[in-house]
Amino acid sequence: MNESVKVSVIMAAYNSEATIAESIDSILDQTFSDWELIVCDDGSTDNTFHIIKEYEARYPGKIIAIQNECNSKLPYSLNYCLEYANGAYIARMDADDKSYPERLEKQLLFLEAHPQIDVVGTGMTCFDGARITGERLPPKEPSAQIIGIGVPFFHATIMMKKSVYDALNGYSLKDYVLRCEDVDLWIRFFAKGFRGANLQETLYYVREDLEASKRRDLKNATNASKTLFYGFKENGFEIGV
């Protein structure tokens, strides 16, 4: 256990054997070196966990491999990663995406220069595995008012104070929050009075291909509606904020 690590990067992976090495390599290539990467295999049926364990053996103390007994979905997996996290800051990473080399360094410098800010996200470069297809920038100074219209932060790009994750009790495990865990998190984040910002540059590659499109179905839309309704109601926001 590294008790002095500055940043813990948390990643959940499911059947990601084709992309996870590239994702892990992008963290190994960071210009900032005081990090640990915690990767939770979510009951994969392919070679994903074996690949993670190989990286753990090659980089002991830097890469930590954990595994769910069965497929338990993203919120559970991220909470499991948080149990192992030793960093003062928590950064997200998805198993099919990549981070720019300077990502962690720039986010950490921003948070330490702005102690009033609790989370910082970045813009994203979209790619389909072979070519860049576009870029997206989030709002510079997001607020609760954007929830339901757009997203205040791109979830996979964030770096958040560990103390804030603790105050929010991590990710909700309610059934209807599945695939909307970030929306639920931001509702509770703003309800607690926390503040965030987004760097106005792209520091993260997000993979957007046919498989990503398939994940957007009717059930996800229903979950999003429930997450917004119950989230606003339980946290004192007016419906339609």
Side-chain angles (χ1 to χ4, degrees):
M1 180 178 294
N2 187 352
E3 296 181 350
S4 64
V5 69
K6 198 76 172 181
V7 176
S8 296
V9 183
I10 60 174
M11 176 194 294
Y14 177 70
N15 286 354
S16 304
E17 65 178 7
T19 60
I20 193 167
E22 196 171 15
S23 297
I24 294 175
D25 286 343
S26 77
I27 298 300
L28 289 167
D29 289 340
Q30 291 295 299
T31 56
F32 176 77
S33 61
D34 191 10
W35 54 262
E36 63 181 2
L37 172 61
I38 303 159
V39 189
C40 178
D41 174 68
D42 191 18
S44 295
T45 58
D46 65 3
N47 204 38
T48 297
F49 190 57
H50 177 72
I51 295 171
I52 301 167
K53 291 294 288 183
E54 285 186 334
Y55 272 96
E56 182 183 48
R58 287 163 54 195
Y59 301 95
K62 294 293 284 181
I63 297 177
I64 301 164
I66 59 178
Q67 187 177 39
N68 295 331
E69 292 183 2
C70 60
N71 182 247
S72 302
K73 308 305 180 184
L74 183 60
Y76 182 93
S77 300
L78 295 180
N79 284 345
Y80 193 18
C81 289
L82 288 171
E83 292 180 18
Y84 284 80
N86 301 296
Y89 300 94
I90 306 293
R92 280 277 290 108
M93 182 73 204
D94 280 343
D96 54 355
D97 298 338
K98 300 184 294 182
S99 288
Y100 279 60
E102 65 274 23
R103 175 200 166 187
L104 296 183
E105 181 178 11
K106 289 188 173 183
Q107 287 182 290
L108 181 62
L109 286 173
F110 180 88
L111 286 173
E112 298 210 320
H114 301 84
Q116 76 278 16
I117 298 298
D118 301 295
V119 64
V120 62
T122 80
M124 301 189 302
T125 298
C126 307
F127 77 113
D128 62 7
R131 59 192 177 88
I132 292 173
T133 58
E135 291 186 348
R136 292 192 217 161
L137 285 178
K140 184 176 181 180
E141 298 178 351
S143 67
Q145 280 66 42
I146 196 174
I147 301 174
I149 303 170
V151 293
F153 311 94
F154 298 142
H155 185 206
T157 76
I158 65 169
M159 181 183 288
M160 184 185 287
K161 294 174 181 175
K162 175 65 160 54
S163 59
V164 175
Y165 265 117
D166 291 342
L168 297 174
N169 295 314
Y171 293 90
S172 171
L173 299 181
K174 295 174 181 176
D175 289 344
Y176 63 79
V177 168
L178 188 61
R179 294 207 181 281
C180 307
E181 55 280 332
D182 57 332
V183 176
D184 172 81
L185 185 72
W186 303 134
I187 292 172
R188 293 184 289 119
F189 175 90
F190 286 116
K192 288 277 190 181
F194 294 121
R195 297 176 60 188
N198 286 301
L199 301 182
Q200 296 300 288
E201 57 182 312
T202 56
L203 295 172
Y204 191 90
Y205 290 97
V206 62
R207 189 182 301 268
E208 294 192 330
D209 53 17
L210 180 60
E211 290 305 311
S213 298
K214 287 179 180 178
R215 293 194 288 267
R216 302 188 185 102
D217 56 18
L218 179 60
K219 183 178 179 180
N220 295 343
T222 301
N223 283 357
S225 296
K226 288 181 178 179
T227 298
L228 289 169
F229 179 82
Y230 290 118
F232 287 154
K233 184 176 180 181
E234 292 170 5
N235 290 280
F237 288 108
E238 293 183 9
I239 304 300
V241 165

